[in-house]
Amino acid sequence: MTGISRQAMGLTMAALMLLATPWAAHATTFDEYVEHLRGDNDVLRSLARQWIPREGVRAVPPLLPLITHENPAVSWAVVNVIQDIANDVSAPGREAERAEVAALLLEALAGAPDQEHQFTLLRVLPIVAPEGADLSPIATLLYQENTRERARLALQEINTSESRAALRGALPTADATFACALMDALDKTGDAEARPLLREKLAGGTDPEKTAAALALAQSADPALAAHYLDLCETIDINHRADMEDAALRLAKALATAGGRWEASMALYRGLLARSENPIARGGALAGLGRYGDETAFDTIMAAWAADETGMLDAPAMAAIESLQDPGVADQLAAAFDAQPAPVQERLLGIMGRKRDPRYVPVFERAAAIAPAIRLDALQQSRLAEAVPLMEAIANAGDGALKAQAVHAIGAMAASFRDAGDRGGAGRAYLAIYRIAEDEAARAEALEGIKGYPVPEAYDTLKAALGEQGLMDLPTPILAGMARVLAEAGRSEESGAMRGALLARASDTATVQQLIQLGPVEGTHEDLARALGFIQHWRIAGAFPQKDAPTDGAPVLQDGAVDLSATWTQDGQTIAWEKKRGAGAMAIVDLTYFGRDNVRIFGYAVIQVADAQDAVLRLGTDDGVRAWVNGEQVHENIVDRGTALDNDLVPVKLKAGENTILLEILQNAGGTNFCARLTRPDGLPLGFEEK
């Protein structure tokens, strides 16, 4: 351990020990705090440095004489304490204390014995000087050569009406050098009241003063200044011309954003572009025309670009064209493309790609003279679905390296389409990759993309790649997606074949749900419901109360049989069996029309099968349900739920010929409905007739 580190550790430990002891044991009065601050003990000074700011305004007067103490450690600590107090009293709600501290500091500045004292106070005053404070002690320093710059910076930072007035007051008598500095401060403080003085300097000052005045006046957005600015850009001393041109650009921007002065702004940008020989200023004018201009700026930008022989306007001209947002620019750019030299066309293609506007697609189509790699890059940037066939054509006309580049570019587009939720765009991009890729790994990856994002155009590609059977063996979600897009494209035969393949594997709820969502390719939803094993024809009886109800199916089920001619009286109303047909591809029977809660409603169906067999009765009910097959109870689920496909799976035995199915729907509250279908034990729909 070095001596320095041991000393530092000693100070740290001493400080911790003092902090752990009540402060009163070391300093019981404010005067003792101050003595510790000015003393030789670094630990006590550090502690005093932390505690004295808590005294607030009363701590300032005794500290001011110590600002330039002969011991730098003391003066540094004192200045920091005063700054802490100034920051504290500048918080909202402490305006009176802030004004008091500012007054003390300003009074000290007026009587400061030396320049070092003055500069220290000028560093602290901007923190605390409020609106309304008498800043004459600072203003006085503006007229002394050794202090004027520090005073100017302090007044600029304070930026109150009094500080701006002080800056204005010093301007008429200041020499040219300091006048420029004062005008810069008036510009940074946004002092509108200084504009008459600035105009005087603009008209009759030295060249540096004219430039400084022009920069400060630019924010006034006065269109009357534009012509004078342009003249000065040509006549002012060459050493100040760049700053004057900057002032002209500032004025043009202020005019463009001020409202109602757009024409003056455009005229100033055009004038600067035409009259300046400075490529930086001309580039700035082009940027302004692009940022704030409309379609009328297009020809100006293109003409300036064409006339430039140095190449220095290439980047600003391109950026300007790309910045133009007027809808008419797309047509102008497309019309101007063919007349441009090849290097310009190459750059314009990139701009068109980044704009991502379908109106540029015809330009991409006729840009065959441009290098294929450049066209591919521009098309990739466009992120347009219409660009994919053009990229595929470019690849097919090129060598293996170009095809590899196209595969990469189209792959990036496929990812972009996918991320944007454009499934069709992604599928077509993957299809293009599959057709042009020479690498088997790329083709295999593209094939997976086609499967995941099917499009009608991919049907033939998949069929050729996988074969008829392989196509039909694709996973259910892919088959369903392909069936959907083929149907949307009007290719009902192919869509129907895929739906048939799905139906042949409809042994699980998910596949059935996919088919229901697709709907029928031919026929009606009732035909699809029949194919999926839904019972569609029911007789309904209800509603009966749930409370204290029997659980054996009574009153409709007696001795295992249902009498369809029977009637019942409930709450003065006659209940009889009525026919009801399920609706849609799930053959849902709506019972909401009963309009009663806490009731039970019966549904009865008769189906016929050729042979005795095991089967599964799949129920969806809102809410609970009991079920009987051929008079024997096979299921009970007392639950509060909504109807969903295959809520309950109930194994049953069917006999050859007629079989009866009775459901008791236990309705709690709200809407109520049910559906039921029959499947084989393996889950495939069961064929049956309804009576």
Side-chain angles (χ1 to χ4, degrees), residues 203-227:
T206 64
D207 280 358
E209 288 177 312
K210 289 178 181 178
T211 302
L215 286 165
L217 281 168
Q219 62 180 308
S220 69
D222 184 356
L225 295 171

Side-chain angles (χ1 to χ4, degrees), residues 366-446:
R366 64 177 187 263
I370 304 300
I374 294 175
R375 282 186 284 152
L376 278 176
D377 183 64
L379 287 164
Q380 177 187 339
Q381 292 186 72
S382 76
R383 295 292 190 267
L384 295 172
E386 299 91 332
V388 173
L390 301 181
M391 298 170 79
E392 187 176 355
I394 292 172
N396 286 328
D399 57 16
L402 187 63
K403 288 183 177 180
Q405 180 185 350
V407 166
H408 178 77
I410 299 174
M413 293 187 73
S416 176
F417 293 141
R418 183 191 63 220
D419 294 343
D422 182 358
R423 298 182 61 83
R428 291 177 180 87
Y430 285 124
L431 181 59
I433 294 172
Y434 184 84
R435 288 196 290 242
I436 64 175
E438 296 181 337
D439 177 74
E440 286 304 317
R443 285 170 60 85
E445 185 176 347

Side-chain angles (χ1 to χ4, degrees), residues 669-691:
T672 183
N673 52 59
F674 75 92
C675 64
R677 70 188 188 101
L678 285 167
T679 69
R680 301 182 333 200
D682 62 6
L684 290 172
L686 181 70
F688 58 86
E689 296 292 331
E690 295 188 69
K691 297 191 66 177

Side-chain angles (χ1 to χ4, degrees), residues 121-143:
L121 290 165
L122 288 174
R123 192 168 77 243
V124 180
L125 273 163
I127 300 173
V128 72
E131 186 73 35
D134 179 6
L135 302 180
S136 55
I138 306 178
T140 299
L141 301 180
L142 289 172
Y143 301 91

Side-chain angles (χ1 to χ4, degrees), residues 544 549-558 600 602 628 664:
F544 300 94
T551 60
D552 59 358
V556 299
L557 187 63
Q558 300 290 340
R600 54 198 183 106
F602 290 92
W628 293 262
E664 181 181 13

Side-chain angles (χ1 to χ4, degrees), residues 408-685:
H408 178 77
I410 299 174
M413 293 187 73
S416 176
F417 293 141
R418 183 191 63 220
D419 294 343
D422 182 358
R423 298 182 61 83
R428 291 177 180 87
Y430 285 124
L431 181 59
I433 294 172
Y434 184 84
R435 288 196 290 242
I436 64 175
E438 296 181 337
D439 177 74
E440 286 304 317
R443 285 170 60 85
E445 185 176 347
L447 188 59
E448 291 304 311
I450 295 170
K451 293 176 183 177
Y453 299 91
V455 291
E457 303 94 305
Y459 177 82
D460 296 330
T461 299
L462 286 173
K463 186 175 180 180
L466 304 175
E468 183 78 39
Q469 188 56 49
L471 182 63
M472 297 306 171
D473 288 341
L474 286 171
T476 296
I478 298 174
L479 266 185
M482 185 65 71
R484 185 189 68 254
V485 296
L486 286 168
E488 292 170 352
R491 298 174 64 172
S492 58
E493 183 177 348
E494 293 96 332
S495 177
M498 291 195 158
R499 293 177 196 231
L502 284 172
L503 189 59
R505 67 173 73 165
S507 59
D508 61 280
T509 302
T511 302
V512 173
Q513 188 65 60
Q514 292 271 7
L515 284 162
I516 290 170
Q517 291 173 352
L518 286 172
V521 64
E522 293 180 351
T524 65
H525 283 90
E526 288 76 13
D527 296 326
L528 179 58
R530 183 180 303 107
L532 294 174
F534 284 97
I535 302 171
Q536 300 183 70
H537 298 277
W538 295 86
R539 289 176 174 81
I540 304 298
F544 300 94
Q546 272 199 51
K547 186 178 181 182
D548 300 326
T551 60
D552 59 358
V556 299
L557 187 63
Q558 300 290 340
D559 298 325
V562 171
D563 180 3
L564 294 178
S565 64
T567 61
W568 304 268
T569 300
Q570 183 67 47
D571 296 331
Q573 295 184 344
T574 299
I575 296 176
W577 291 101
E578 57 179 331
K579 292 182 178 180
K580 190 79 172 175
R581 181 168 182 166
M586 286 178 60
I588 291 178
V589 180
D590 185 12
L591 304 175
T592 306
Y593 64 94
F594 283 103
R596 295 173 63 187
D597 295 337
N598 299 311
V599 295
R600 54 198 183 106
I601 304 166
F602 290 92
Y604 180 72
V606 180
I607 62 105
Q608 183 169 319
V609 293
D611 301 307
Q613 57 192 289
D614 291 333
V616 178
L617 176 62
R618 296 173 179 250
L619 303 172
T621 63
D622 181 351
D623 294 297
V625 61
R626 295 189 182 99
W628 293 262
V629 173
N630 295 325
E632 294 185 6
Q633 184 170 357
V634 294
H635 182 61
E636 178 178 87
N637 190 7
I638 310 304
V639 65
D640 194 345
R641 67 183 179 190
T643 296
L645 179 66
D646 298 349
N647 275 141
D648 299 336
L649 277 61
V650 184
V652 299
K653 290 185 177 295
L654 300 179
K655 60 185 180 181
E658 289 187 0
N659 293 264
T660 63
I661 298 172
L662 177 67
L663 302 181
E664 181 181 13
I665 309 302
L666 304 170
Q667 157 65 355
N668 295 328
T672 183
N673 52 59
F674 75 92
C675 64
R677 70 188 188 101
L678 285 167
T679 69
R680 301 182 333 200
D682 62 6
L684 290 172

Side-chain angles (χ1 to χ4, degrees), residues 145-400:
E145 186 171 356
N146 292 336
T147 58
R148 66 187 189 181
E149 182 57 21
R150 291 290 187 94
R152 180 189 71 86
L153 291 172
L155 290 167
Q156 175 183 312
E157 189 175 351
I158 292 171
N159 197 12
T160 61
S161 57
E162 291 79 15
S163 72
R164 295 189 293 272
L167 293 167
R168 287 197 305 272
L171 182 58
T173 59
D175 60 58
T177 300
F178 192 53
C180 291
L182 288 169
M183 286 187 280
D184 181 66
L186 292 167
D187 179 24
K188 288 183 169 63
T189 58
D191 186 16
E193 294 183 45
R195 288 172 186 172
L197 291 172
L198 296 172
R199 287 190 173 90
E200 291 179 11
K201 292 293 185 182
L202 183 66
T206 64
D207 280 358
E209 288 177 312
K210 289 178 181 178
T211 302
L215 286 165
L217 281 168
Q219 62 180 308
S220 69
D222 184 356
L225 295 171
H228 189 37
Y229 274 36
L230 284 176
D231 290 340
L232 284 174
C233 285
E234 292 184 315
T235 60
I236 206 162
D237 181 84
I238 190 67
N239 294 315
H240 303 287
R241 192 160 297 172
D243 287 338
M244 189 62 227
E245 289 170 332
D246 184 37
L249 289 171
R250 289 193 194 184
L251 177 60
K253 178 180 179 180
L255 290 167
T257 56
R261 302 170 191 178
W262 179 82
E263 291 82 359
S265 169
M266 295 296 103
L268 183 51
Y269 279 130
R270 287 190 172 94
L272 191 59
L273 184 62
R275 296 166 66 171
S276 176
E277 297 180 356
N278 179 3
I280 296 176
R282 301 186 75 209
L286 286 172
L289 287 169
R291 186 176 298 113
Y292 304 112
D294 61 4
E295 62 181 9
T296 61
F298 178 81
D299 290 338
T300 302
I301 297 170
M302 291 298 295
W305 190 5
D308 174 50
E309 297 179 354
T310 67
M312 299 185 71
L313 293 186
D314 283 355
M318 288 174 58
I321 292 173
E322 194 161 348
S323 296
L324 286 169
Q325 299 299 316
D326 194 294
V329 172
D331 296 328
Q332 288 178 304
L333 185 52
F337 179 82
D338 294 335
Q340 306 305 313
V344 175
Q345 287 185 337
E346 292 176 359
R347 294 181 173 91
L348 291 179
L349 278 184
I351 293 172
M352 293 176 183
R354 290 188 291 275
K355 282 185 174 290
R356 301 181 180 178
D357 191 327
R359 287 177 291 178
Y360 293 123
V361 171
V363 180
F364 292 131
E365 290 176 339
R366 64 177 187 263
I370 304 300
I374 294 175
R375 282 186 284 152
L376 278 176
D377 183 64
L379 287 164
Q380 177 187 339
Q381 292 186 72
S382 76
R383 295 292 190 267
L384 295 172
E386 299 91 332
V388 173
L390 301 181
M391 298 170 79
E392 187 176 355
I394 292 172
N396 286 328
D399 57 16

